[in-house]
Amino acid sequence: MADIRNNFVGIKSPNPFWLASAPPTDKAYNVERAFKAGWGGVVWKTLGEEGPPVVNVNGPRYGAIWGADRRLLGLNNIELITDRDLQTNLREMKQVKINWPDRALIASIMVPCVEESWKAILPLVEETGADGIELNFGCPHGMSERGMGSAVGQVPEYIEMVVRWCKQYTRMPVITKLTPNITDIRKPARAAHAGGTDAVSLINTINSITGVDLDNFAPMPTIDGKGSHGGYCGPAVKPIAMNMVAEIARDPETRGLPISGIGGITTWRDAAEFMALGAGNVQVCTAAMTYGFKIVQEMIAGLENWMEEKGHRSLSDVIGRATPNVTDWQYLNLNYVAKAHIDQDACIKCGRCHIACEDTSHQAITAMVDGARHFEVIEAECVGCNLCVNVCPVEGCITMQPLAVGALDERTGKPVSPNYANWTTHPNNPMAKVAAE
Amino acid sequence: MANGHLREGIAGGRLSPEQYAENFSDLHPPLDHHEALVESDRCYFCYDAPCMNACPTAIDIPLFIRQISTGNPIGSAKTIFDQNILGGMCARVCPTETLCEEACVRETAEGKPVQIGRLQRYATDVAMAENKQFYARAKATGKKVAVVGAGPAGLAAAHRLARHGHDVTVLEARPKAGGLNEYGIAAYKSVDDFAQAEVDYVTAIGGIDIQNGKALGRDFQLSELTKDYDAVFLGMGLGGVNALRADGEDADGVANAVEFIAELRQASDLSGLPVGRRVVVIGGGMTAIDAAVQSKLLGAEEVTICYRRGQEHMNASEFEQDLAAANGVSIRHWLQPKRVIAEQGKTSAIELEYTAMKGDKLAGTGETLMLAADQVFKAIGQSFIAGALNGSGGSIELEGGRIKVDADGRTSLAKVWAGGDCIFGGDDLTVSAVAQGRDAAESIHRALTSNGRA
């Protein structure tokens, strides 16, 4: 069986599936249940300063969007960091770590952006026996209004400064959690790197309004007639998160910096994709909040099975394997030609490929052939855009098939060139012409 | 009810009141809000949707289902009624398994079509419960149209004509409007007096005067209508029942299935409705199934459908055949009635002859079978009675024993249109009758208003 044990910046766990710092990890009761279910690690819900804890709203904290059959696709929340007393959390963390020595236990921390505050809390956390700390520079709601969370994460200089303090005042590995509410994710990652962080984790949640109550004209979740933007997570954010992970993984300035991938991971496949793009492990929240802790069993078995089938012996065989294949658009091979192909045996004749292509794309799929309902790609019109594949309700029915080198592309009337050629050298590119002169 | 089901002969009170109520409850209970949302999510919103093309009234099914899924059941109902004002009844009685649901791509993909009929019922129920009326009458045209028969074709025609501003008089032979919706459909397919509720909903548009107890040829003549009205629509259905052509078929205990079904629908107390202990139904269509299943539900001990051809030739859909089987009705094929045997004038058995195809003709094999029966229902088809029609004035051309019409529903007689079961070339479905009534009304409107312009 493939070995899925994880070593992330020296923190060992039996599998790469950690629960992210969030409501499911707010207290020992939940974390104990998570470990019983099989989770490899837990990032305890963010601790704040000693003193009166924060308070949460007493109305709805979550909003959501759904797909067909009311599958939860995206969730947002306006819950703050832990609203339990610091000492209670520390006491429980210590006991849980004693009970579960083989699991990773990470403390998420968010205190004001002053050195004294960090200096004060780090020894208290260290005393619990936690394996590491995660700096919460990500939460976009509530705490950011008080100069914490994403308010720090959006200023690279602050990130570097706080990371530096943490590296100075604790021996524990430091994971810096980044906010996606920023234009270029590489900037905060570079800052954390410069500050000496051991790793980054991302993404935290995205500023969002999930809906509007049209009877009361108030954003949802609605608290006494008003709403505030919340942090968006769940399957809907996965593509955004994966891009950001890849951006950091392939940035020359941060290359090799360990990444804990977060954002909509729901299945083993999602986890494998994040790791292939460069994540050293993954953190999960919404999937657990949707289905309960048991889902980790599918993730573990699925990952092991896939690795076994593909001959990947350990996670290091997988991590970062897709990173080199993430490139800029300008380097994509413009001589590569693929055409959609519809498997007539699998086709259920819903016609969605046709209408998508006909109304919104390239008029490259028939609806009727010889008086019969028949959907077939017209290769002379097909630009290979893949829209039909994406709207087809039957998996595998429509596939993109590359044309072999030398084969005639009926759309352009030219044979497929054996040579790689990208935009940087393309005759239509004015910059290419300038370079050639 | 102790042993009521074992009572010999044709008798009522075979079951307890609770059993009657349960047996004749809604065959397809309505979808609740949650069920409707889950089911509507399954629709793929197909392009040029096969379901829509399979619907004789061409309801925009993907659109109405999408409207349910987006929380707009009223809009959904309008989408349905735009094409089919009797969409509520069609949702209940359409053989969807051979129409829209057979064509559904999820039938192809999974063998489980979207439950279009039940979704249609959901949306139309919501609108009808609110008595939401979508159509206002156009400015009065001053034209008068007579509609003969208040069945599905006549009601659909009347509604469309009233919408266009014409004044409609509907002449109906029976005491109630609705036609086969009221008199010809198994009770468990249309509970809670839905047919009358629908008549009220349709006629609420105004300008439709239904006169009951007026039969063509008995109470009025076609020539009077063509004289007194600007146009006439004939939608009187089929008045006759085909004979068994078996010896002894006038014995006590031999009855027409359609009459039994009508009587059952009108019965206020089902325990008072007598049924045989052993019932044989002759025929292979929906009427045979309806009569057989309802006999069983009324407490008959043994019910057998005998059909002279094979299963694949039956007009009753597979769903209907399964329904019969599930209710304990046995269906026997390749048997034709030969002789009804009576004791003291009362039916006691039926002798049937096995049949087989000889070349391309059906013929008896000579071998016979005797089935004990104290009640025999004839369900071997209905026929058009042309006498009432052509007794006076100019005569209307027939084809295959029914009224011949063109694509617009025009008969050979000026000013006269026809639709529903009384015309040739139809498929004897409620939904087709609605389409024919609606389309004939449009044709009448064009004729009365110089191509639609008043």
Side-chain angles (χ1 to χ4, degrees), chain B residues 148 173 214-225 234 236-240 383-396 398 401 403 413 422:
Chain B
V148 180
K214 298 264 178 82
L216 178 64
R218 183 186 76 193
D219 304 303
F220 61 91
Q221 304 300 327
L222 181 57
S223 57
E224 295 163 22
L225 298 184
L234 300 173
M236 69 287 257
L238 305 174
S383 56
F384 179 60
I385 300 178
L389 191 64
N390 286 340
S392 63
S395 71
I396 285 183
L398 302 183
I403 300 172
L413 199 62
C422 65

PDB file of all heavy atoms in Angstrom, chain B residues 148 173 214-225 234 236-240 383-396 398 401 403 413 422:
ATOM      1  N   VAL B 148     -69.927  21.781 -29.529  1.00  0.00           N
ATOM      2  CA  VAL B 148     -70.737  20.622 -29.179  1.00  0.00           C
ATOM      3  C   VAL B 148     -69.873  19.652 -28.389  1.00  0.00           C
ATOM      4  O   VAL B 148     -68.902  19.099 -28.904  1.00  0.00           O
ATOM      5  CB  VAL B 148     -71.306  19.926 -30.447  1.00  0.00           C
ATOM      6  CG1 VAL B 148     -72.156  18.721 -30.054  1.00  0.00           C
ATOM      7  CG2 VAL B 148     -72.119  20.922 -31.268  1.00  0.00           C
ATOM      8  N   ALA B 173     -74.310  16.948 -23.759  1.00  0.00           N
ATOM      9  CA  ALA B 173     -75.413  16.002 -23.597  1.00  0.00           C
ATOM     10  C   ALA B 173     -75.591  15.543 -22.154  1.00  0.00           C
ATOM     11  O   ALA B 173     -76.701  15.334 -21.683  1.00  0.00           O
ATOM     12  CB  ALA B 173     -75.181  14.787 -24.503  1.00  0.00           C
ATOM     13  N   LYS B 214     -77.979  18.815 -23.371  1.00  0.00           N
ATOM     14  CA  LYS B 214     -78.320  19.148 -24.760  1.00  0.00           C
ATOM     15  C   LYS B 214     -77.513  18.257 -25.699  1.00  0.00           C
ATOM     16  O   LYS B 214     -76.306  18.444 -25.850  1.00  0.00           O
ATOM     17  CB  LYS B 214     -77.975  20.620 -25.050  1.00  0.00           C
ATOM     18  CG  LYS B 214     -78.754  21.638 -24.206  1.00  0.00           C
ATOM     19  CD  LYS B 214     -79.969  22.152 -24.975  1.00  0.00           C
ATOM     20  CE  LYS B 214     -80.791  23.137 -24.149  1.00  0.00           C
ATOM     21  NZ  LYS B 214     -80.243  24.489 -24.168  1.00  0.00           N
ATOM     22  N   ALA B 215     -78.225  17.298 -26.292  1.00  0.00           N
ATOM     23  CA  ALA B 215     -77.542  16.353 -27.170  1.00  0.00           C
ATOM     24  C   ALA B 215     -77.844  16.656 -28.628  1.00  0.00           C
ATOM     25  O   ALA B 215     -78.993  16.917 -28.985  1.00  0.00           O
ATOM     26  CB  ALA B 215     -77.964  14.924 -26.836  1.00  0.00           C
ATOM     27  N   LEU B 216     -76.799  16.568 -29.419  1.00  0.00           N
ATOM     28  CA  LEU B 216     -76.928  16.778 -30.861  1.00  0.00           C
ATOM     29  C   LEU B 216     -77.828  15.695 -31.442  1.00  0.00           C
ATOM     30  O   LEU B 216     -77.662  14.507 -31.137  1.00  0.00           O
ATOM     31  CB  LEU B 216     -75.545  16.739 -31.522  1.00  0.00           C
ATOM     32  CG  LEU B 216     -75.484  16.887 -33.042  1.00  0.00           C
ATOM     33  CD1 LEU B 216     -75.978  18.261 -33.482  1.00  0.00           C
ATOM     34  CD2 LEU B 216     -74.072  16.658 -33.555  1.00  0.00           C
ATOM     35  N   GLY B 217     -78.764  16.138 -32.280  1.00  0.00           N
ATOM     36  CA  GLY B 217     -79.658  15.171 -32.905  1.00  0.00           C
ATOM     37  C   GLY B 217     -80.868  14.869 -32.052  1.00  0.00           C
ATOM     38  O   GLY B 217     -81.891  14.407 -32.539  1.00  0.00           O
ATOM     39  N   ARG B 218     -80.801  15.116 -30.776  1.00  0.00           N
ATOM     40  CA  ARG B 218     -81.944  14.883 -29.888  1.00  0.00           C
ATOM     41  C   ARG B 218     -82.581  16.225 -29.509  1.00  0.00           C
ATOM     42  O   ARG B 218     -83.774  16.429 -29.660  1.00  0.00           O
ATOM     43  CB  ARG B 218     -81.477  14.160 -28.633  1.00  0.00           C
ATOM     44  CG  ARG B 218     -82.603  13.791 -27.654  1.00  0.00           C
ATOM     45  CD  ARG B 218     -82.067  13.215 -26.356  1.00  0.00           C
ATOM     46  NE  ARG B 218     -81.512  14.286 -25.501  1.00  0.00           N
ATOM     47  CZ  ARG B 218     -80.761  14.063 -24.443  1.00  0.00           C
ATOM     48  NH1 ARG B 218     -80.412  12.820 -24.112  1.00  0.00           N
ATOM     49  NH2 ARG B 218     -80.315  15.063 -23.709  1.00  0.00           N
ATOM     50  N   ASP B 219     -81.722  17.124 -29.058  1.00  0.00           N
ATOM     51  CA  ASP B 219     -82.245  18.404 -28.565  1.00  0.00           C
ATOM     52  C   ASP B 219     -82.003  19.563 -29.540  1.00  0.00           C
ATOM     53  O   ASP B 219     -82.587  20.618 -29.401  1.00  0.00           O
ATOM     54  CB  ASP B 219     -81.601  18.733 -27.219  1.00  0.00           C
ATOM     55  CG  ASP B 219     -81.815  17.619 -26.223  1.00  0.00           C
ATOM     56  OD1 ASP B 219     -82.986  17.265 -25.968  1.00  0.00           O
ATOM     57  OD2 ASP B 219     -80.813  17.054 -25.724  1.00  0.00           O
ATOM     58  N   PHE B 220     -81.090  19.361 -30.436  1.00  0.00           N
ATOM     59  CA  PHE B 220     -80.845  20.388 -31.458  1.00  0.00           C
ATOM     60  C   PHE B 220     -80.198  19.713 -32.663  1.00  0.00           C
ATOM     61  O   PHE B 220     -79.701  18.593 -32.557  1.00  0.00           O
ATOM     62  CB  PHE B 220     -79.961  21.517 -30.914  1.00  0.00           C
ATOM     63  CG  PHE B 220     -78.595  21.039 -30.470  1.00  0.00           C
ATOM     64  CD1 PHE B 220     -77.532  21.036 -31.363  1.00  0.00           C
ATOM     65  CD2 PHE B 220     -78.386  20.594 -29.172  1.00  0.00           C
ATOM     66  CE1 PHE B 220     -76.287  20.584 -30.962  1.00  0.00           C
ATOM     67  CE2 PHE B 220     -77.140  20.146 -28.771  1.00  0.00           C
ATOM     68  CZ  PHE B 220     -76.088  20.139 -29.656  1.00  0.00           C
ATOM     69  N   GLN B 221     -80.210  20.403 -33.782  1.00  0.00           N
ATOM     70  CA  GLN B 221     -79.639  19.872 -35.018  1.00  0.00           C
ATOM     71  C   GLN B 221     -78.454  20.734 -35.437  1.00  0.00           C
ATOM     72  O   GLN B 221     -78.397  21.927 -35.129  1.00  0.00           O
ATOM     73  CB  GLN B 221     -80.686  19.874 -36.146  1.00  0.00           C
ATOM     74  CG  GLN B 221     -81.959  19.120 -35.829  1.00  0.00           C
ATOM     75  CD  GLN B 221     -81.717  17.658 -35.528  1.00  0.00           C
ATOM     76  OE1 GLN B 221     -80.816  17.030 -36.083  1.00  0.00           O
ATOM     77  NE2 GLN B 221     -82.507  17.101 -34.607  1.00  0.00           N
ATOM     78  N   LEU B 222     -77.562  20.109 -36.153  1.00  0.00           N
ATOM     79  CA  LEU B 222     -76.386  20.830 -36.622  1.00  0.00           C
ATOM     80  C   LEU B 222     -76.792  22.013 -37.505  1.00  0.00           C
ATOM     81  O   LEU B 222     -76.192  23.089 -37.443  1.00  0.00           O
ATOM     82  CB  LEU B 222     -75.462  19.869 -37.383  1.00  0.00           C
ATOM     83  CG  LEU B 222     -74.162  20.465 -37.922  1.00  0.00           C
ATOM     84  CD1 LEU B 222     -73.335  21.090 -36.801  1.00  0.00           C
ATOM     85  CD2 LEU B 222     -73.342  19.414 -38.653  1.00  0.00           C
ATOM     86  N   SER B 223     -77.831  21.790 -38.298  1.00  0.00           N
ATOM     87  CA  SER B 223     -78.263  22.860 -39.211  1.00  0.00           C
ATOM     88  C   SER B 223     -78.685  24.103 -38.443  1.00  0.00           C
ATOM     89  O   SER B 223     -78.508  25.231 -38.904  1.00  0.00           O
ATOM     90  CB  SER B 223     -79.401  22.362 -40.101  1.00  0.00           C
ATOM     91  OG  SER B 223     -80.471  21.910 -39.287  1.00  0.00           O
ATOM     92  N   GLU B 224     -79.259  23.897 -37.241  1.00  0.00           N
ATOM     93  CA  GLU B 224     -79.645  25.057 -36.429  1.00  0.00           C
ATOM     94  C   GLU B 224     -78.406  25.828 -35.971  1.00  0.00           C
ATOM     95  O   GLU B 224     -78.383  27.046 -35.935  1.00  0.00           O
ATOM     96  CB  GLU B 224     -80.449  24.622 -35.199  1.00  0.00           C
ATOM     97  CG  GLU B 224     -81.806  23.998 -35.539  1.00  0.00           C
ATOM     98  CD  GLU B 224     -82.373  23.208 -34.354  1.00  0.00           C
ATOM     99  OE1 GLU B 224     -81.969  23.467 -33.202  1.00  0.00           O
ATOM    100  OE2 GLU B 224     -83.203  22.319 -34.606  1.00  0.00           O
ATOM    101  N   LEU B 225     -77.394  25.049 -35.628  1.00  0.00           N
ATOM    102  CA  LEU B 225     -76.170  25.700 -35.143  1.00  0.00           C
ATOM    103  C   LEU B 225     -75.524  26.518 -36.251  1.00  0.00           C
ATOM    104  O   LEU B 225     -75.087  27.644 -36.033  1.00  0.00           O
ATOM    105  CB  LEU B 225     -75.175  24.671 -34.603  1.00  0.00           C
ATOM    106  CG  LEU B 225     -75.631  23.830 -33.403  1.00  0.00           C
ATOM    107  CD1 LEU B 225     -74.487  22.934 -32.940  1.00  0.00           C
ATOM    108  CD2 LEU B 225     -76.115  24.700 -32.251  1.00  0.00           C
ATOM    109  N   LEU B 234     -67.232  20.796 -33.312  1.00  0.00           N
ATOM    110  CA  LEU B 234     -67.794  19.514 -32.887  1.00  0.00           C
ATOM    111  C   LEU B 234     -66.741  18.748 -32.080  1.00  0.00           C
ATOM    112  O   LEU B 234     -65.657  18.456 -32.579  1.00  0.00           O
ATOM    113  CB  LEU B 234     -68.211  18.682 -34.098  1.00  0.00           C
ATOM    114  CG  LEU B 234     -69.262  19.308 -35.026  1.00  0.00           C
ATOM    115  CD1 LEU B 234     -69.431  18.425 -36.274  1.00  0.00           C
ATOM    116  CD2 LEU B 234     -70.589  19.477 -34.281  1.00  0.00           C
ATOM    117  N   MET B 236     -67.803  16.005 -29.768  1.00  0.00           N
ATOM    118  CA  MET B 236     -68.731  15.199 -28.964  1.00  0.00           C
ATOM    119  C   MET B 236     -68.230  13.796 -28.651  1.00  0.00           C
ATOM    120  O   MET B 236     -68.923  13.031 -28.005  1.00  0.00           O
ATOM    121  CB  MET B 236     -70.116  15.129 -29.634  1.00  0.00           C
ATOM    122  CG  MET B 236     -70.191  14.332 -30.900  1.00  0.00           C
ATOM    123  SD  MET B 236     -69.388  15.225 -32.241  1.00  0.00           S
ATOM    124  CE  MET B 236     -70.789  15.834 -33.117  1.00  0.00           C
ATOM    125  N   GLY B 237     -67.026  13.486 -29.072  1.00  0.00           N
ATOM    126  CA  GLY B 237     -66.464  12.193 -28.681  1.00  0.00           C
ATOM    127  C   GLY B 237     -67.137  11.025 -29.364  1.00  0.00           C
ATOM    128  O   GLY B 237     -67.726  11.171 -30.441  1.00  0.00           O
ATOM    129  N   LEU B 238     -67.060   9.887 -28.725  1.00  0.00           N
ATOM    130  CA  LEU B 238     -67.588   8.657 -29.293  1.00  0.00           C
ATOM    131  C   LEU B 238     -68.760   8.198 -28.460  1.00  0.00           C
ATOM    132  O   LEU B 238     -68.648   8.017 -27.254  1.00  0.00           O
ATOM    133  CB  LEU B 238     -66.509   7.568 -29.302  1.00  0.00           C
ATOM    134  CG  LEU B 238     -65.212   7.952 -30.022  1.00  0.00           C
ATOM    135  CD1 LEU B 238     -64.174   6.849 -29.843  1.00  0.00           C
ATOM    136  CD2 LEU B 238     -65.467   8.215 -31.497  1.00  0.00           C
ATOM    137  N   GLY B 239     -69.883   8.024 -29.120  1.00  0.00           N
ATOM    138  CA  GLY B 239     -71.081   7.658 -28.364  1.00  0.00           C
ATOM    139  C   GLY B 239     -71.347   6.159 -28.306  1.00  0.00           C
ATOM    140  O   GLY B 239     -72.084   5.679 -27.454  1.00  0.00           O
ATOM    141  N   GLY B 240     -70.757   5.421 -29.209  1.00  0.00           N
ATOM    142  CA  GLY B 240     -71.088   4.009 -29.302  1.00  0.00           C
ATOM    143  C   GLY B 240     -70.031   3.093 -28.721  1.00  0.00           C
ATOM    144  O   GLY B 240     -68.874   3.474 -28.595  1.00  0.00           O
ATOM    145  N   SER B 383     -67.165   3.653 -30.740  1.00  0.00           N
ATOM    146  CA  SER B 383     -67.344   4.062 -32.126  1.00  0.00           C
ATOM    147  C   SER B 383     -68.095   5.382 -32.203  1.00  0.00           C
ATOM    148  O   SER B 383     -68.808   5.762 -31.281  1.00  0.00           O
ATOM    149  CB  SER B 383     -68.118   2.971 -32.886  1.00  0.00           C
ATOM    150  OG  SER B 383     -69.340   2.741 -32.222  1.00  0.00           O
ATOM    151  N   PHE B 384     -67.888   6.033 -33.292  1.00  0.00           N
ATOM    152  CA  PHE B 384     -68.552   7.306 -33.521  1.00  0.00           C
ATOM    153  C   PHE B 384     -69.935   7.050 -34.078  1.00  0.00           C
ATOM    154  O   PHE B 384     -70.100   6.253 -35.001  1.00  0.00           O
ATOM    155  CB  PHE B 384     -67.712   8.139 -34.498  1.00  0.00           C
ATOM    156  CG  PHE B 384     -68.340   9.459 -34.819  1.00  0.00           C
ATOM    157  CD1 PHE B 384     -68.588  10.373 -33.801  1.00  0.00           C
ATOM    158  CD2 PHE B 384     -68.674   9.783 -36.122  1.00  0.00           C
ATOM    159  CE1 PHE B 384     -69.173  11.595 -34.089  1.00  0.00           C
ATOM    160  CE2 PHE B 384     -69.256  11.012 -36.413  1.00  0.00           C
ATOM    161  CZ  PHE B 384     -69.506  11.923 -35.395  1.00  0.00           C
ATOM    162  N   ILE B 385     -70.923   7.721 -33.499  1.00  0.00           N
ATOM    163  CA  ILE B 385     -72.287   7.573 -34.011  1.00  0.00           C
ATOM    164  C   ILE B 385     -72.577   8.782 -34.892  1.00  0.00           C
ATOM    165  O   ILE B 385     -72.739   9.900 -34.395  1.00  0.00           O
ATOM    166  CB  ILE B 385     -73.297   7.481 -32.847  1.00  0.00           C
ATOM    167  CG1 ILE B 385     -72.955   6.260 -31.983  1.00  0.00           C
ATOM    168  CG2 ILE B 385     -74.721   7.391 -33.393  1.00  0.00           C
ATOM    169  CD1 ILE B 385     -73.846   6.084 -30.785  1.00  0.00           C
ATOM    170  N   ALA B 386     -72.592   8.485 -36.180  1.00  0.00           N
ATOM    171  CA  ALA B 386     -72.699   9.596 -37.135  1.00  0.00           C
ATOM    172  C   ALA B 386     -74.137  10.045 -37.333  1.00  0.00           C
ATOM    173  O   ALA B 386     -74.393  11.125 -37.851  1.00  0.00           O
ATOM    174  CB  ALA B 386     -72.092   9.195 -38.470  1.00  0.00           C
ATOM    175  N   GLY B 387     -75.078   9.236 -36.900  1.00  0.00           N
ATOM    176  CA  GLY B 387     -76.491   9.516 -37.167  1.00  0.00           C
ATOM    177  C   GLY B 387     -76.915  10.896 -36.716  1.00  0.00           C
ATOM    178  O   GLY B 387     -77.550  11.653 -37.454  1.00  0.00           O
ATOM    179  N   ALA B 388     -76.531  11.235 -35.505  1.00  0.00           N
ATOM    180  CA  ALA B 388     -76.943  12.519 -34.940  1.00  0.00           C
ATOM    181  C   ALA B 388     -76.427  13.673 -35.775  1.00  0.00           C
ATOM    182  O   ALA B 388     -77.050  14.718 -35.883  1.00  0.00           O
ATOM    183  CB  ALA B 388     -76.402  12.629 -33.513  1.00  0.00           C
ATOM    184  N   LEU B 389     -75.275  13.441 -36.336  1.00  0.00           N
ATOM    185  CA  LEU B 389     -74.586  14.487 -37.089  1.00  0.00           C
ATOM    186  C   LEU B 389     -75.233  14.735 -38.438  1.00  0.00           C
ATOM    187  O   LEU B 389     -75.505  15.868 -38.827  1.00  0.00           O
ATOM    188  CB  LEU B 389     -73.145  14.024 -37.293  1.00  0.00           C
ATOM    189  CG  LEU B 389     -72.144  14.999 -37.815  1.00  0.00           C
ATOM    190  CD1 LEU B 389     -71.957  16.128 -36.829  1.00  0.00           C
ATOM    191  CD2 LEU B 389     -70.837  14.260 -38.047  1.00  0.00           C
ATOM    192  N   ASN B 390     -75.444  13.633 -39.133  1.00  0.00           N
ATOM    193  CA  ASN B 390     -75.841  13.776 -40.525  1.00  0.00           C
ATOM    194  C   ASN B 390     -77.326  13.534 -40.749  1.00  0.00           C
ATOM    195  O   ASN B 390     -77.756  13.168 -41.816  1.00  0.00           O
ATOM    196  CB  ASN B 390     -75.000  12.838 -41.402  1.00  0.00           C
ATOM    197  CG  ASN B 390     -73.581  13.393 -41.548  1.00  0.00           C
ATOM    198  OD1 ASN B 390     -73.374  14.588 -41.332  1.00  0.00           O
ATOM    199  ND2 ASN B 390     -72.654  12.532 -41.907  1.00  0.00           N
ATOM    200  N   GLY B 391     -78.086  13.732 -39.708  1.00  0.00           N
ATOM    201  CA  GLY B 391     -79.526  13.543 -39.858  1.00  0.00           C
ATOM    202  C   GLY B 391     -80.217  14.722 -40.504  1.00  0.00           C
ATOM    203  O   GLY B 391     -81.339  14.630 -40.958  1.00  0.00           O
ATOM    204  N   SER B 392     -79.544  15.847 -40.507  1.00  0.00           N
ATOM    205  CA  SER B 392     -80.215  17.051 -40.998  1.00  0.00           C
ATOM    206  C   SER B 392     -79.236  17.925 -41.757  1.00  0.00           C
ATOM    207  O   SER B 392     -78.061  17.898 -41.480  1.00  0.00           O
ATOM    208  CB  SER B 392     -80.772  17.844 -39.816  1.00  0.00           C
ATOM    209  OG  SER B 392     -79.699  18.275 -39.004  1.00  0.00           O
ATOM    210  N   GLY B 393     -79.756  18.679 -42.661  1.00  0.00           N
ATOM    211  CA  GLY B 393     -78.925  19.635 -43.389  1.00  0.00           C
ATOM    212  C   GLY B 393     -77.853  18.970 -44.213  1.00  0.00           C
ATOM    213  O   GLY B 393     -77.926  17.790 -44.530  1.00  0.00           O
ATOM    214  N   GLY B 394     -76.848  19.744 -44.516  1.00  0.00           N
ATOM    215  CA  GLY B 394     -75.752  19.212 -45.321  1.00  0.00           C
ATOM    216  C   GLY B 394     -74.989  18.177 -44.535  1.00  0.00           C
ATOM    217  O   GLY B 394     -74.889  18.264 -43.315  1.00  0.00           O
ATOM    218  N   SER B 395     -74.490  17.189 -45.209  1.00  0.00           N
ATOM    219  CA  SER B 395     -73.819  16.128 -44.478  1.00  0.00           C
ATOM    220  C   SER B 395     -72.314  16.371 -44.454  1.00  0.00           C
ATOM    221  O   SER B 395     -71.756  17.050 -45.303  1.00  0.00           O
ATOM    222  CB  SER B 395     -74.131  14.772 -45.104  1.00  0.00           C
ATOM    223  OG  SER B 395     -73.459  14.676 -46.333  1.00  0.00           O
ATOM    224  N   ILE B 396     -71.699  15.823 -43.399  1.00  0.00           N
ATOM    225  CA  ILE B 396     -70.264  15.976 -43.196  1.00  0.00           C
ATOM    226  C   ILE B 396     -69.561  14.710 -43.637  1.00  0.00           C
ATOM    227  O   ILE B 396     -69.992  13.598 -43.320  1.00  0.00           O
ATOM    228  CB  ILE B 396     -69.974  16.276 -41.702  1.00  0.00           C
ATOM    229  CG1 ILE B 396     -70.368  17.723 -41.392  1.00  0.00           C
ATOM    230  CG2 ILE B 396     -68.510  16.018 -41.361  1.00  0.00           C
ATOM    231  CD1 ILE B 396     -70.079  18.152 -39.990  1.00  0.00           C
ATOM    232  N   LEU B 398     -67.141  11.674 -43.742  1.00  0.00           N
ATOM    233  CA  LEU B 398     -66.492  10.839 -42.724  1.00  0.00           C
ATOM    234  C   LEU B 398     -65.315  10.101 -43.335  1.00  0.00           C
ATOM    235  O   LEU B 398     -65.210   9.958 -44.547  1.00  0.00           O
ATOM    236  CB  LEU B 398     -67.482   9.815 -42.157  1.00  0.00           C
ATOM    237  CG  LEU B 398     -68.757  10.360 -41.508  1.00  0.00           C
ATOM    238  CD1 LEU B 398     -69.566   9.192 -40.941  1.00  0.00           C
ATOM    239  CD2 LEU B 398     -68.453  11.369 -40.409  1.00  0.00           C
ATOM    240  N   GLY B 401     -65.152   6.034 -40.430  1.00  0.00           N
ATOM    241  CA  GLY B 401     -66.250   6.056 -39.473  1.00  0.00           C
ATOM    242  C   GLY B 401     -66.260   7.268 -38.572  1.00  0.00           C
ATOM    243  O   GLY B 401     -67.122   7.406 -37.705  1.00  0.00           O
ATOM    244  N   ILE B 403     -65.255  11.740 -38.177  1.00  0.00           N
ATOM    245  CA  ILE B 403     -65.321  12.967 -38.975  1.00  0.00           C
ATOM    246  C   ILE B 403     -63.965  13.243 -39.621  1.00  0.00           C
ATOM    247  O   ILE B 403     -62.926  13.162 -38.967  1.00  0.00           O
ATOM    248  CB  ILE B 403     -65.728  14.169 -38.097  1.00  0.00           C
ATOM    249  CG1 ILE B 403     -67.101  13.918 -37.470  1.00  0.00           C
ATOM    250  CG2 ILE B 403     -65.728  15.465 -38.902  1.00  0.00           C
ATOM    251  CD1 ILE B 403     -67.508  14.947 -36.435  1.00  0.00           C
ATOM    252  N   LEU B 413     -67.864  20.549 -44.082  1.00  0.00           N
ATOM    253  CA  LEU B 413     -69.003  21.470 -44.059  1.00  0.00           C
ATOM    254  C   LEU B 413     -68.524  22.869 -43.670  1.00  0.00           C
ATOM    255  O   LEU B 413     -67.793  23.026 -42.700  1.00  0.00           O
ATOM    256  CB  LEU B 413     -70.023  20.955 -43.037  1.00  0.00           C
ATOM    257  CG  LEU B 413     -71.458  21.469 -43.134  1.00  0.00           C
ATOM    258  CD1 LEU B 413     -72.094  21.065 -44.468  1.00  0.00           C
ATOM    259  CD2 LEU B 413     -72.274  20.908 -41.975  1.00  0.00           C
ATOM    260  N   CYS B 422     -63.870  12.289 -31.881  1.00  0.00           N
ATOM    261  CA  CYS B 422     -64.830  12.098 -32.970  1.00  0.00           C
ATOM    262  C   CYS B 422     -64.204  12.294 -34.348  1.00  0.00           C
ATOM    263  O   CYS B 422     -64.846  12.019 -35.356  1.00  0.00           O
ATOM    264  CB  CYS B 422     -66.045  13.012 -32.803  1.00  0.00           C
ATOM    265  SG  CYS B 422     -65.672  14.779 -32.919  1.00  0.00           S
TER     266      CYS B 422
END
